[in-house]
Amino acid sequence: MVRSPKCECAPVSMLNVDNLSVWFGNGRDRVDAVRNASFNVNRGASFGLVGESGSGKSTILRAVMGLTPNWSGAISVDTKPVDKTRQKSFYKVVQMVFQDPYASLHPRHSVDQVLGETLYLHGFRDIDARVVKLLDDVGLGGKFRFRYPHQLSGGQRQRVAIARALAPKPSILLLDEPTSALDVSVQAEILNLLTDLRTEHGLTYIMVSHDLSVVGHMCEQLAVMKDGEIVEIMEVETLRKAQASHPYSQELLAASI
Amino acid sequence: MTLLDVENLWVKFPSRQGVFDAVRGVSFTLGRERLGIVGESGSGKSMTGRAILRLIRPPGIVTADQISLEGDDLMLKSERQMRDVRGQRISMVMQDPKFSLNPVMTIGQQIIEAYRLHNKARKSEAYAKSLEMLEAVSIRDPERVMRAYPHEMSGGMGQRIMIAMMLIPNPEILIADEPTSALDVSVQRQVLSIIDKLVTDRGMGLIFISHDLNLVADFCDRVLIMYSGRIVEVCDADKLHDAQHPYTRGLLNSLPRLDAPCDKLQVLSRDPAWSEAPSVSARL
């Protein structure tokens, strides 16, 4: 297990979610996607969210990012509570990588445009040097700079998406099933890249996955979700020993071994 | 007993950069067993499945010494004769039920159509048969499902409906092309056990195409491992974890494991010689 290099000092809360509820629709059509979820992630830690589809794990990430209009509860990033409407400075701290690399990149923007625009919007002016640096960081190198998404493989696209998320130099990366659209061999490459980036940049990860072994590899702590509620928060060690206490987590564990 | 015998199957696509070989000289036989085909995306596993049903359209080219279904060479059949094979003798379940069910027909209409296309039967008889089939794939209230449209179904239910529809003409061979990869882990097992039960009960042959090595090791009897259009290794499914070929080993080692934590996952290093080596025959 990779421990964060900054773990020696007292743990500082990087992301704290308290009593978060998210719902869609009104009145009769109201769907409660997340109900009273609370968890805390320390600086430099890696936290997993697992559960079946529709259990609300991605919705939590979207709520943190400010992509869902209706939510209640409290979210604080780096011990500062976030406002209902996110400030630009928020996105310098928190960034997200989406599930499907085929859908998250603009098909008519080259890698250079994708990264350049992100850097420009975040107020950087030495864009040229930074694009080169970002591509190096994610192991792509300069020859990919002027390619379009259709000229890249799935793994390469996901690397571009990670580079885009790293552009504003964030401290927290929200990873929404970053490898579920990829082959196992490519999955290994991307997971290794994420591990390296975490040690290099001291990042905090919140990772959503339906694959318990991926979460077991990447995270130290995980929450199991069912029907919009967190049923159990446990250490990965407990997961490895198959000592989950909630019946649903046991069921999930049995299905993935 | 051999149901299907495929010998030296090639699938080619002409392109501006010359002919691209998607499947290169694949040979295998299928008895009344569960045969798994695994490989990464682009290794030609789905193309193999489609080529057996002659579903590859021009400009794609399919050549084979033979694809014989109980002694009947499918390569020699006309398009019209192939229509009697598809569904009736060999049927196929595709990856995502969202794209393989007709969105503007009710589930009932679609299953009844599948049954009546291959059997001379009255509507009432076909209806009864469809209900029975939906029960066989553990759908709880089949009458309501018969009246429902595909968008009202969850992914797992949709896939079970596809299986019901594909098995209702009672084919001899079922080709399942990643039938569970669009589904949740918890639903996956359920769908697999349904496929398993039906295939065993009816004594069918199953070709199970998947990229998930552990799933195939659990579920199949024999496994073919494909790399860039060729079969690189054939082994018994329960011995998959002792596989010899460096490609298979690489794939197995790149999986994260709950029982064996490590700092870094092993990354597959590809040897160009793998794609040059001739295909291993899986004919018995």
Side-chain angles (χ1 to χ4, degrees):
Chain A
M1 213 54 254
V2 184
R3 295 285 163 186
S4 156
K6 291 178 187 166
C7 265
E8 291 85 20
C9 50
V12 185
S13 166
M14 196 65 202
L15 176 74
N16 188 58
V17 171
D18 189 32
N19 221 4
L20 175 75
S21 296
V22 184
W23 65 93
F24 299 103
N26 274 318
R28 214 157 53 107
D29 299 328
R30 176 171 160 145
V31 177
D32 289 290
V34 178
R35 277 172 293 172
N36 307 328
S38 305
F39 61 91
N40 177 55
V41 187
N42 288 333
R43 183 186 292 276
S46 175
F47 188 82
L49 285 168
V50 294
E52 57 191 10
S53 42
S55 61
K57 48 195 194 319
S58 297
T59 309
I60 289 188
L61 293 196
R62 299 182 73 90
V64 171
M65 272 318 257
L67 296 172
T68 52
N70 300 317
W71 59 276
S72 67
I75 300 173
S76 52
V77 169
D78 209 359
T79 63
K80 287 182 280 291
V82 298
D83 306 327
K84 281 279 169 184
T85 45
R86 304 287 190 280
Q87 303 298 315
K88 203 170 168 185
S89 58
F90 173 83
Y91 294 103
K92 280 201 180 286
V93 183
V94 187
Q95 279 288 321
M96 185 157 170
V97 177
F98 294 90
Q99 175 171 14
D100 189 352
Y102 295 88
S104 61
L105 295 178
H106 196 299
R108 293 182 63 154
H109 283 184
S110 66
V111 173
D112 181 63
Q113 279 171 294
V114 168
L115 299 179
E117 186 177 7
T118 313
L119 287 166
Y120 179 80
L121 288 175
H122 282 284
F124 294 106
R125 288 300 171 261
D126 50 340
I127 288 170
D128 191 62
R130 282 185 185 266
V131 168
V132 175
K133 173 77 173 45
L134 281 173
L135 286 176
D136 274 346
D137 278 353
V138 296
L140 276 178
K143 66 176 182 212
F144 289 96
R145 186 170 170 184
F146 296 102
R147 289 212 194 170
Y148 286 90
H150 73 268
Q151 295 167 311
L152 302 172
S153 70
Q156 288 164 348
R157 284 182 213 211
Q158 200 58 298
R159 283 173 195 265
V160 174
I162 293 171
R164 177 176 60 185
L166 289 177
K169 298 207 155 288
S171 331
I172 304 179
L173 269 196
L174 307 181
L175 305 161
D176 188 1
E177 306 242 12
T179 58
S180 63
L182 307 172
D183 274 324
V184 285
S185 48
V186 183
Q187 167 174 292
E189 289 172 21
I190 297 291
L191 292 182
N192 283 347
L193 171 70
L194 287 170
T195 311
D196 288 346
L197 289 172
R198 186 174 152 212
T199 5
E200 235 170 80
H201 300 267
L203 294 167
T204 306
Y205 285 163
I206 291 102
M207 185 175 194
V208 162
S209 180
H210 64 268
D211 190 336
L212 277 181
S213 47
V214 168
V215 166
H217 176 71
M218 293 295 292
C219 305
E220 292 106 39
Q221 222 185 11
L222 70 148
V224 181
M225 291 195 68
K226 183 175 167 44
D227 301 332
E229 286 177 35
I230 294 184
V231 297
E232 187 173 5
I233 295 184
M234 58 178 159
E235 302 292 319
V236 161
E237 286 309 312
T238 327
L239 178 75
R240 287 190 200 288
K241 291 179 196 138
Q243 287 168 342
S245 54
H246 193 276
Y248 178 71
S249 335
Q250 287 164 354
E251 200 181 302
L252 206 63
L253 197 57
S256 49
I257 292 183
Chain B
M1 214 199 79
T2 309
L3 283 175
L4 186 74
D5 189 350
V6 176
E7 202 179 339
N8 200 19
L9 173 73
W10 288 74
V11 178
K12 299 171 189 184
F13 292 95
S15 73
R16 252 179 282 176
Q17 286 85 34
V19 178
F20 175 75
D21 300 317
V23 177
R24 307 189 289 169
V26 163
S27 307
F28 64 92
T29 52
L30 173 76
R32 298 194 188 282
E33 59 175 339
R34 293 164 297 185
L35 178 73
I37 303 182
V38 282
E40 293 169 283
S41 38
S43 59
K45 50 192 198 307
S46 294
M47 280 298 156
T48 309
R50 287 166 165 268
I52 292 168
L53 276 170
R54 299 250 318 270
L55 284 174
I56 293 173
R57 297 294 175 213
I61 305 158
V62 178
T63 60
D65 292 354
Q66 60 162 347
I67 302 179
S68 78
L69 175 65
E70 292 181 313
D72 227 4
D73 196 345
L74 298 182
M75 289 304 286
L76 305 176
K77 286 193 183 288
S78 69
E79 190 55 32
R80 197 174 190 85
Q81 289 169 319
M82 270 314 288
R83 253 187 262 163
D84 294 331
V85 174
R86 295 182 192 132
Q88 175 82 304
R89 302 183 66 191
I90 306 179
S91 58
M92 190 163 180
V93 177
M94 306 268 192
Q95 181 168 3
D96 199 334
K98 264 186 292 201
F99 302 115
S100 37
L101 288 165
N102 187 338
V104 295
M105 277 168 82
T106 62
I107 308 282
Q109 284 171 330
Q110 296 184 53
I111 301 185
I112 289 174
E113 184 189 25
Y115 184 66
R116 299 220 323 170
L117 213 56
H118 300 288
N119 294 281
K120 279 209 168 69
R122 268 210 296 265
K123 258 194 187 153
S124 55
E125 191 190 324
Y127 184 84
K129 195 86 184 148
S130 307
L131 276 185
E132 197 182 296
M133 199 63 224
L134 283 178
E135 269 162 23
V137 293
S138 352
I139 280 179
R140 254 166 279 149
D141 48 352
E143 267 123 8
R144 184 182 66 83
V145 170
M146 288 286 277
R147 286 193 306 271
Y149 284 92
H151 71 268
E152 300 171 81
M153 299 289 114
S154 68
M157 266 172 116
Q159 202 59 297
R160 280 182 279 164
I161 290 162
M162 275 309 291
I163 293 167
M165 197 186 299
M166 289 302 120
L167 293 185
I168 205 168
N170 216 356
E172 291 144 60
I173 295 174
L174 178 70
I175 301 174
D177 188 357
E178 308 242 9
T180 57
S181 43
L183 307 178
D184 265 333
V185 202
S186 41
V187 189
Q188 248 179 28
R189 296 276 152 174
Q190 200 186 355
V191 170
L192 284 177
S193 61
I194 289 169
I195 296 183
D196 188 37
K197 183 171 171 292
L198 293 172
V199 165
T200 335
D201 287 356
R202 293 163 184 237
M204 293 163 52
L206 173 72
I207 299 180
F208 188 83
I209 299 170
S210 176
H211 65 272
D212 191 333
L213 289 131
N214 286 330
L215 197 69
V216 170
D218 275 0
F219 184 65
C220 296
D221 302 317
R222 208 152 58 97
V223 185
L224 316 180
I225 295 108
M226 287 189 72
Y227 181 72
S228 73
R230 290 196 155 107
I231 300 176
V232 293
E233 191 167 14
V234 184
C235 59
D236 289 336
D238 48 352
K239 298 198 184 75
L240 182 65
H241 288 274
D242 313 319
Q244 294 304 314
H245 195 278
Y247 174 65
T248 322
R249 289 249 51 96
L251 283 185
L252 286 168
N253 291 338
S254 64
L255 287 168
R257 288 174 57 169
L258 274 181
D259 52 341
C262 56
D263 283 354
K264 273 292 186 82
L265 294 168
Q266 263 191 46
V267 174
L268 186 65
S269 54
R270 287 153 215 276
D271 187 343
W274 298 345
S275 48
E276 297 310 318
S279 185
V280 178
S281 170
R283 297 179 76 208
L284 291 176

